[in-house]
Amino acid sequence: MSPTLTDLCHYPIVQAPMAGGASCPQLAAAVSEAGGLGFLAAGYKTADGMYQEIKQVRGLTNQPFGVNLFMPQPEYADPAAVAVYGSQLAGEAAWYETQLGDPDGGRDDGFDAKLAILLDDPVPVVTFTFGCPGRDVLDSLARVGTLTGVTVTTPEEAQAAQWAGADAVCVQGIEAGGHQGTHRDNPEADGSGIGLIALITQVREAVQIPIIATGGLMRGGQLAAVLAAGADAGQFGTAFLVCPESGANLLHKQAMTNPLFVRTELTRAFSGRPARGLVNRFMREHGPYAPAAYPQIHHMTSTLRKAAAKAGDPQGMALWAGQGHRLARELPAGQLVEVLAAELAEAKDALGARGAA
Ligand SMILES: Cc1cc2nc3c(=O)[nH]c(=O)nc-3n(C[C@H](O)[C@H](O)[C@H](O)COP(=O)(O)O)c2cc1C
């Protein structure tokens, strides 16, 4: 029998790909070395930047790891809405003494060039976010021995991924930090996102391929819950973001457990696509009218976010975080994998004991 994604790691613990710097080679390698599955995020990187990171991981560990790609985005953003949002951000540019970025900074995230590298020099796992690739792409990766996964947020998206030939689905609940991997951003569906347990249960009954569950997971006990609900592994983002190996900005890491930031919300303010972050000034001020225009808004605000980080101002940064952020533990990544695995074993024992009572 050919291996499945969860055969690649000792523990059913996947470190979420986190574009923007957090899931760097050091983090991915430390997780894989400890018996989890580490991930690199190719999003926002050049194809060569992605390749350099792959080589770095290979230099740090012989264990399997994954690479996550953003799917190219369809042409649906309204240029007029992007321009209006640009004028609404003029005060931010003046405040941070910078210019807005060029909204037309690229729509496909270098997808073809990245895929060509991954076909030429294969990695164990490739997952896709913001859409589902065609069968040709998934088949070509299968032919070079790569296992594939697609992020889904509804049972319908999971069925599309299975039909296209994906080896697994990464089932992302509404609790998740960072972007929702919804295949098509639809403002009319705002507020209808599905919680992780409810979503796993529906996806489990809709498809037969393995499920990696993600969104709000911070403890091994929660991992036990998603495994019981039908998942094959759990994927942790925010939990690993605060690890010393993570490349996330220090202000971002510190904000996770800072009592000033108590709530998370989904917002289009930073990127033009719903993403969950700690509620800060930028989100409060611009979230209510930010248009659905990804990645145009991402490109436009990138200079603002960089300037805010440089100025040491978390109120202007995208502080992506899942709903469990207050449970973040600043442990070395390998140790966090061990702790999560021990908590999982404890939760299974406790359930067994209760079942026997
Ligand atoms: C900072 C950050 C960046 C992220 N970047 C990506 C990404 O590049 N690709 C992706 O598929 N998911 C990305 N995500 C979403 C994660 O894969 C995962 O769904 C999420 O972290 C799970 O929720 P949690 O943070 O509560 O664990 C990101 C999440 C965070 C927090």
Side-chain angles (χ1 to χ4, degrees), residues 1-13:
M1 229 170 71
S2 49
T4 67
L5 231 130
T6 48
D7 294 332
L8 295 183
C9 41
H10 184 65
Y11 300 122
I13 295 171

Side-chain angles (χ1 to χ4, degrees), residues 152-153 169-176 180 193-204 211-218 222-223 225-227 229-231 233-236 323:
V152 302
T153 58
V169 277
C170 177
V171 172
Q172 188 191 42
I174 196 70
E175 302 92 333
Q180 285 282 299
I194 308 173
L196 185 59
I197 294 280
L199 184 58
I200 294 168
T201 314
Q202 292 173 55
V203 172
R204 188 63 295 158
I211 289 176
I212 299 170
T214 195
L217 302 180
M218 304 297 289
Q222 290 173 290
L223 179 54
V226 297
L227 296 180
Q235 177 171 291
F236 297 73
Q323 287 182 339

Side-chain angles (χ1 to χ4, degrees), residues 14-23 39-44 68-70 127-130 150-151 170-181 196 213-218 235-241 248 252 256 276-277 294 318-325:
V14 178
Q15 165 247 311
M18 290 181 278
S23 56
F39 254 93
L40 291 174
Y44 310 137
N68 174 257
L69 299 186
F70 287 170
T127 60
F128 298 88
T129 295
F130 298 150
V150 174
T151 301
C170 177
V171 172
Q172 188 191 42
I174 196 70
E175 302 92 333
H179 283 98
Q180 285 282 299
L196 185 59
T214 195
L217 302 180
M218 304 297 289
Q235 177 171 291
F236 297 73
T238 302
F240 282 109
L241 187 138
H252 189 174
M256 292 295 160
R276 183 173 297 283
Y294 177 89
L319 303 172
W320 302 141
Q323 287 182 339
H325 65 94

Side-chain angles (χ1 to χ4, degrees), residues 252 270 277-278 280 282-283 301 305 308 314-321:
H252 189 174
F270 293 106
L278 299 172
N280 62 2
F282 194 98
M283 262 171 79
T301 68
R305 288 178 276 125
Q315 298 295 341
M317 296 165 60
L319 303 172
W320 302 141

Side-chain angles (χ1 to χ4, degrees), residues 18 174-178 215-219 222 236-243 251-266 276-280 283 319-331 336:
M18 290 181 278
I174 196 70
E175 302 92 333
L217 302 180
M218 304 297 289
R219 298 283 188 261
Q222 290 173 290
F236 297 73
T238 302
F240 282 109
L241 187 138
V242 297
C243 292
L251 293 169
H252 189 174
K253 290 185 181 185
Q254 289 168 342
M256 292 295 160
T257 47
N258 181 339
L260 270 181
F261 297 105
V262 286
R263 286 192 310 116
T264 65
E265 254 176 36
L266 287 173
R276 183 173 297 283
L278 299 172
V279 176
N280 62 2
M283 262 171 79
L319 303 172
W320 302 141
Q323 287 182 339
H325 65 94
R326 284 197 265 185
L327 297 171
R329 297 173 283 198
E330 205 192 310
L331 297 172
L336 181 55

